[in-house]
Structures are given as C-alpha cells and as structure tokens.
Amino acid sequence: RAVLRKASALEYKIQRRALRKEDFINYIQYEVNLLELIKKRRARTGYSFKKDEIEHSILHRVHSLFNRATGKWKDDVQLWLSHVAFCKQWNAKHQLSKVFSTMLAIHSNKPALWIMAAKWEMETRLSSESARHLFLRALRFHPECPKLYQEYFRMELMHAEKQRKEKKEFEQAKMDLGEFNYSEEILNGEMARIVYRDASQKIKGVEFQLAVLSIAKLFDFTQDLQKEILESLQARYADDPLTWDYMARRELELGSLQPTENTTKQMKVSEMAQNEERCCAVFDEALRAVPTEDMWKCYITFCMERYNRKTNSKELKQKRLERTLSVFSKAHESRLLSEALYKQWLQLLLDSNLSEKAVEVAEAATKNFSQSVETWQMRLQVLIQLKRDDVTQCFEEAIKHVKSKGTLPLWTLWVEWSEGTNSKEDTETLYQRSLHATTPAESVTMKEMYLDWAYRNCGYKKVKRLFTSLCENRPFSLDFFRKMIQIEKEQESCKMLHLREYYERALREFGSANTALWLDYIKEELSHPQGKPENCGSIHWRAMKMLQGDLVEDFVSKYTLLQTGHL
C-alpha cells in the first residue's frame, strides 16, 4: 500500500500540464531504488518466482519514463547517459541499442558519445561490424576528430587480435577452417593501416602520430605498421621537438628489450648508463637540427626525469646530476632557457648544496626576465635562504625594475624578511613605503600586515594610533577591521565605545553586503558588560535599510535564530 501511495503521488506529478524534469528524475530514482530493494529481498529469501510480473513491469515503466523525459528534454546529455547506465546495469541490450540510436541521431555533434556506443558494440555485443559501422558514421560528422580516428584504429587492431586468437584456437583443436574465412590482410592489421593512412592525410600534428603509435605498440603483430608510422613521423615532422623527444626516449626502450639473463647489478647500472648516453646523443643531434626553446625543454625534462628516478648506485646518480646541470648551462648559454626552467635549475642547485652557483643563476635569470615578479622573488628567496648581505640591495633593484602593479609578493617578502633581520624603525619605514608603492587594491594586504606587526611589536596604544591613520586612505578589507576588533577584545579593559567605533567604520564600508557583520555587532551589544541591548533595535532597523537583495531575508532568519538562542 505504501509503494502504491508513493508511486501514485509520483505518477500524478508527471501527468501535469507543466512538466518538470525533477519530477521525472525523482520517479525514476524511486523505481530504481525499489528494484534494488526487491533484488536484495529475493537474495535473502531465495524466492525467484514472478519476475515477469514484478521486475519486468518496473523495468518497462522505468524505460518508458526515460523515453518520455529524453523526448521532452532532448538536449540534456546527462539524462541520456543515465538511461544508458540503467540499461547496462539491468542488461537490457536490446533497449540500449535503441537508446544509442536515438541519442546519436540527436547528439551527433559529440564524438565521445559515438565512441561510447562503438565501444559497447565491440566489447559487450562482440560485434566489430556494428562498431565499424558506427565509427564510419561518426567520421562523416567529424572528419577531422583525432580521438575518433584513434579509437577506430584501436578497434580495428582489437578485431584483428580477436581473429588471430580464434584462428590459433581452431588450429590447436585441429578443426577444419573451411567455413571460416580468415583473411591474412585483416589478421595482419591491414584495416588499421587503411584507417591510419586516411587519418594522417586529414589530421596534422605530431601528437596524433605519437598517439596512434602508442596504440599500435599494445599489439604484438604490428611491427610493420609501427615501422610505417615511425617513418612517416620522421619524414613529415623532422623539425618538431616532439619527434626528436620520442626518438631519443626510444633508445631506452630498445636497450631494455635486450635479453638480461645472468646479469649483475653493476652490469645493469652500466647498461642503463649506456642507454641514457645514447638518448643524450640523439638529443644533442636534435639540438643541432632544431635549436629551439621547446627542444631544450624536452632535453631538460628528460634529464630531470632520469635524475629523479630512484637508484642505489651513487655513481649513476652523480652522473645524472652532472649531465642535468651541464644541459641547463648549455641552454642558458644559448639564451633559450624559459623562466620556469630557471626555477627548476635553481631548485636543483640548492638541493645539491651548490649555493654560489645558485646565486649566479638567480642573477642571470633576473637579467633575462627583469620584468618578472616571480623571477625576482625566486632570486630574493635564494639570497635570504643563504643569509647573504646584499638582500636589501637586491630588493631595491627588484622594485626599480618591476612595475608597481603586481609587486605585492615582493613587498610582503621584504617586510617579512625585515621583521626578522632589521630594527623596528627600519621595518616601520618599509611598511609605510610599501603603502605608497603598491596599487590601492594591493595596499589592503599591506595594511593588514602592518596592523598585525604593530600589535605584536609595539603594543596596543601604537596599533590604535596606526589604525586611525590608516583609516584615512581607502580601500580597506573586512579582515582589516576584524583584526582591530579582535585586538580590542584581547585587552583587559576592553571598551565597548572603541568596539562600536570599529564596527561603525566597518559597516560604512561593508554594511550593504555582509549580514555577519551586523549580527556580530548585535551580539557584541548583547554580551559585552558595557553593551546597550536597547541599541539592538536601531542596529536591526539600519541593517534592514542597508542590506541588499536576498541578504535581507538571510539577515531576518539569522536574527530570529539569535533572538531564540539558536545562533
């Protein structure tokens, strides 16, 4: 009876004149939960009768609900995918074929849906013919989609592998292959070769070639196909850094394919070192052919990857470090080292305790990227870490080179360093200078830091005077006022008069967009020993006038909770 009541209520909702998607989703979710419950109960009781009357009727109802919903809201892909997932869960293969067919007719512009449908045909229904048909239809809509070609290429190789396995099993069982026609061309991946050739004419770029090659490598019968892709790659994209990067890394793979029986650890280390040397030889040749920043980046990335690999051999680790540092130096000499790679180089030098070299590199980086805040920050952090004497001079140089906008990280670093190194007077001068040097939006952060520093180092009276002077120049942040309120509360003789002043100043700036500030002010009047609860009414009235939009409703509900003691 409960199920009937609930189902009837949900049914009434989807019979309205104005239909809502949420009603359909709720109804479907209820029916799915009911199916799961029945499944569990059957498993517990061992009762397996009347499935047609119970489960099948519910399944039929869910499918019809999905059909109505997807018919009404055709553009909602998530709704279609939910129907697909439901069909897969309950093994409704015939229904799923219909869903895919309808969905692809409407959403033919989405390659991912074509791939999903073809994958299901290939892997679940074991129908390579249907999968091929879907891919060919998809390519008519998306003739230049790399992902579609990659998956079609993979499907043809999977089909060839499947046929090879079938043929092998028949031969092992010594069965007559007369009625089965296994074409040698298909068995050797000729269909995949045709797909690749067609794709390579339409899709340009090394990334696609490398993606197809990585797929071909997954199958052990594609040596000739791999060779063709590789030759095409070298012929058409000889000037692309990614081609050279692949060719160099391939030397590692070729080295690891050699038989390694009866080898000692020392021999393995020696072999690994030789393989890496061969890779570097290819990279060196690449740099002679394509001396670009991207090429250096590929080389350095390779060297860093090898250096970060774990090894028990100190000799190999040292050799990798020397090689990496040498490559960084050569790239720097060629003036083709990017800002991000300078950062990596510095970190490597610091980790290797080569501090003098790190200072030199940091200086060179700021010469090449004198407008970059990050590069100056990096150099300053190196100097601070090494406790050098020329930190102040470097800060001055950085501020001179970098435009005022975006200098906030440099000023925060400078004042933080000054707090631990210089006198209070010097630090205060620096704070005051930073307020004028930064943009108004950035000065907000400096005001907060200045207030916090003054309280920690100079006491309450100083911070109160500072707060008053800082309030003369906008803009402010809410945290700036909250910080001062917190400082006042921490005093033994916390005065409500001062708190009111801070709250009033904050509300002048943020009262129209912040309900929490009004509520905190009211709480303060109610809880403070010197507070005046009779002021709460006027504060509430002002809040209602000042707050905008939905914030009024939010304030009213929270104020009610406060009055009843629930906030």
Side-chain angles (χ1 to χ4, degrees):
R1 279 203 299 273
V3 169
L4 276 171
R5 266 201 311 275
K6 183 70 176 172
S8 298
L10 291 164
E11 185 70 38
Y12 288 140
K13 284 184 179 179
I14 65 162
Q15 297 303 335
R16 290 171 175 166
R17 185 169 292 175
L19 297 175
R20 290 168 63 239
K21 194 196 300 181
E22 291 73 24
D23 294 334
F24 278 90
I25 291 168
N26 291 338
Y27 195 175
I28 289 165
Q29 191 59 59
Y30 176 73
E31 294 287 15
V32 169
N33 291 345
L34 188 61
L35 276 171
E36 289 292 339
L37 195 63
I38 292 166
K39 191 176 176 182
K40 285 179 182 176
R41 192 163 291 184
R42 280 193 186 280
R44 195 178 74 235
T45 58
Y47 186 88
S48 60
F49 305 107
K50 295 192 177 181
K51 280 197 173 183
D52 284 344
E53 291 93 323
I54 302 170
E55 278 96 330
H56 287 196
S57 65
I58 297 174
L59 284 169
H60 179 72
R61 192 155 58 248
V62 172
H63 286 307
S64 66
L65 284 168
F66 266 122
N67 289 337
R68 275 188 67 190
T70 50
K72 173 77 175 167
W73 296 280
K74 293 182 176 70
D75 293 338
D76 191 338
V77 177
Q78 196 53 52
L79 207 54
W80 287 101
L81 293 177
S82 298
H83 196 182
V84 168
F86 178 75
C87 292
K88 284 180 179 178
Q89 185 184 357
W90 293 94
N91 202 27
K93 291 181 181 178
H94 179 67
Q95 188 69 32
L96 185 49
S97 275
K98 285 183 182 177
V99 173
F100 272 131
S101 179
T102 315
M103 179 174 69
L104 292 174
I106 295 163
H107 295 284
S108 56
N109 61 333
K110 295 179 175 64
L113 299 181
W114 287 100
I115 292 167
M116 183 198 288
K119 193 176 178 185
W120 178 74
E121 289 287 354
M122 182 71 190
E123 294 176 2
T124 308
R125 298 197 77 182
L126 307 174
S127 173
S128 51
E129 195 60 45
S130 299
R132 186 180 295 120
H133 179 64
L134 278 168
F135 273 121
L136 290 170
R137 276 180 62 201
L139 288 168
R140 283 202 288 276
F141 287 102
H142 308 278
E144 293 181 359
C145 176
K147 190 66 181 169
L148 264 177
Y149 271 111
Q150 286 168 32
E151 293 305 321
Y152 185 17
F153 180 77
R154 190 197 304 272
M155 188 280 292
E156 289 295 1
L157 289 176
M158 284 169 68
H159 175 58
E161 187 180 46
K162 180 182 155 191
Q163 290 216 329
R164 286 171 78 91
K165 283 180 180 175
E166 278 180 12
K167 188 181 177 188
K168 189 178 176 183
E169 284 174 9
F170 281 138
E171 284 171 352
Q172 284 176 349
K174 295 179 181 176
M175 288 176 67
D176 181 22
L177 297 175
E179 56 189 274
F180 299 102
N181 182 22
Y182 289 107
S183 165
E184 278 301 318
E185 289 183 336
I186 290 176
L187 292 175
N188 292 328
E190 198 59 37
M191 292 291 282
R193 192 190 300 272
I194 293 166
V195 173
Y196 163 70
R197 286 175 182 170
D198 182 44
S200 59
Q201 286 173 5
K202 293 174 183 173
I203 298 167
K204 310 298 178 203
V206 184
E207 292 85 356
F208 175 73
Q209 300 280 337
L210 292 175
V212 170
L213 188 54
S214 66
I215 292 167
K217 277 185 175 179
L218 300 172
F219 301 88
D220 55 8
F221 58 89
T222 58
Q223 281 74 19
D224 290 344
L225 184 56
Q226 286 179 47
K227 190 178 175 185
E228 182 182 327
I229 297 169
L230 204 55
E231 284 170 1
S232 169
L233 187 67
Q234 288 173 296
R236 293 170 65 188
Y237 304 102
D239 294 339
D240 196 297
L242 290 175
T243 304
W244 284 101
D245 185 49
Y246 176 79
M247 296 307 295
R249 289 169 184 272
R250 192 162 164 263
E251 293 296 327
L252 279 178
E253 294 174 20
L254 294 172
S256 64
L257 292 174
Q258 295 169 3
T260 55
E261 292 176 15
N262 305 320
T263 54
T264 60
K265 281 186 180 178
Q266 189 60 40
M267 286 168 71
K268 282 181 181 176
V269 167
S270 173
E271 188 186 332
M272 180 63 75
Q274 286 173 7
N275 291 344
E276 288 178 9
E277 288 297 333
R278 283 204 303 276
C279 293
C280 292
V282 175
F283 273 118
D284 290 334
E285 186 188 339
L287 285 163
R288 286 192 289 276
V290 191
T292 62
E293 188 179 307
D294 287 339
M295 193 67 252
W296 279 109
K297 186 181 178 182
C298 289
Y299 194 0
I300 289 167
T301 304
F302 168 77
C303 291
M304 288 296 291
E305 281 174 14
R306 300 313 297 175
Y307 174 70
N308 291 328
R309 278 178 74 90
K310 287 185 179 178
T311 176
N312 294 325
S313 168
K314 288 183 181 177
E315 185 188 341
L316 183 61
K317 189 80 173 170
Q318 185 61 30
K319 191 178 280 188
R320 285 172 175 172
L321 175 62
E322 287 169 7
R323 183 194 299 128
T324 307
L325 292 174
S326 166
V327 173
F328 270 119
S329 294
K330 286 176 186 173
H332 166 63
E333 286 162 18
S334 306
R335 301 183 71 81
L336 291 169
L337 201 59
S338 67
E339 192 180 340
L341 291 177
Y342 268 113
K343 194 171 183 178
Q344 282 190 34
W345 190 9
L346 267 175
Q347 195 56 54
L348 184 62
L349 289 166
L350 291 171
D351 292 344
S352 308
N353 297 319
L354 299 167
S355 53
E356 289 304 318
K357 182 67 177 170
V359 172
E360 282 177 39
V361 169
E363 190 176 344
T366 50
K367 278 181 184 172
N368 290 341
F369 301 97
S370 59
Q371 297 290 313
S372 168
V373 174
E374 290 80 9
T375 307
W376 281 106
Q377 204 176 348
M378 197 165 63
R379 180 181 173 187
L380 289 160
Q381 282 167 343
V382 169
L383 294 175
I384 291 167
Q385 195 174 332
L386 299 173
K387 296 181 179 175
R388 299 287 290 243
D389 298 332
D390 53 349
V391 176
T392 306
Q393 185 188 334
C394 188
F395 269 117
E396 294 286 1
E397 198 181 336
I399 296 299
K400 189 169 73 179
H401 279 91
V402 180
K403 292 173 186 173
S404 63
K405 190 178 181 182
T407 55
L408 181 63
L410 295 178
W411 283 109
T412 52
L413 185 63
W414 197 353
V415 294
E416 281 168 6
W417 170 77
S418 182
E419 281 178 27
T421 314
N422 296 342
S423 64
K424 287 181 187 177
E425 291 77 15
D426 290 345
T427 304
E428 184 160 17
T429 307
L430 201 58
Y431 267 116
Q432 287 170 351
R433 188 179 156 194
S434 74
L435 293 174
H436 299 295
T438 51
T439 60
E442 290 175 337
S443 69
V444 167
T445 307
M446 296 312 300
K447 284 176 185 174
E448 289 172 30
M449 290 179 72
Y450 192 4
L451 203 67
D452 186 51
W453 172 83
Y455 180 56
R456 282 187 283 111
N457 293 278
C458 306
Y460 174 70
K461 287 184 179 178
K462 165 75 179 173
V463 83
K464 196 166 183 322
R465 285 198 305 275
L466 176 64
F467 175 77
T468 307
S469 69
L470 288 176
C471 281
E472 290 173 11
N473 296 308
R474 285 186 170 85
F476 310 109
S477 69
L478 184 58
D479 288 338
F480 172 71
F481 292 108
R482 286 202 181 279
K483 183 75 196 168
M484 196 59 216
I485 291 165
Q486 189 58 41
I487 289 168
E488 183 64 45
K489 283 183 178 181
E490 287 172 11
Q491 305 312 306
E492 282 183 23
S493 57
C494 171
K495 293 182 180 176
M496 189 64 207
L497 191 69
H498 293 158
L499 284 174
R500 277 196 201 102
E501 182 199 338
Y502 306 145
Y503 271 115
E504 289 295 341
R505 284 181 183 272
L507 288 168
R508 276 203 294 276
E509 302 294 329
F510 305 101
S512 61
N514 195 296
T515 54
L517 201 57
W518 290 101
L519 291 164
D520 289 344
Y521 191 8
I522 291 168
K523 282 183 201 171
E524 211 66 62
E525 288 287 12
L526 291 169
S527 60
H528 196 279
Q530 298 166 16
K532 293 181 179 177
E534 60 269 26
N535 289 354
C536 293
S538 66
I539 296 169
H540 177 273
W541 182 82
R542 284 168 58 206
M544 295 292 285
K545 289 280 183 187
M546 215 167 165
L547 287 166
Q548 296 172 352
D550 296 338
L551 292 172
V552 176
E553 195 178 324
D554 183 43
F555 173 74
V556 169
S557 60
K558 284 181 178 174
Y559 182 68
T560 308
L561 288 171
L562 181 66
Q563 284 182 312
T564 53
H566 290 95
L567 190 67

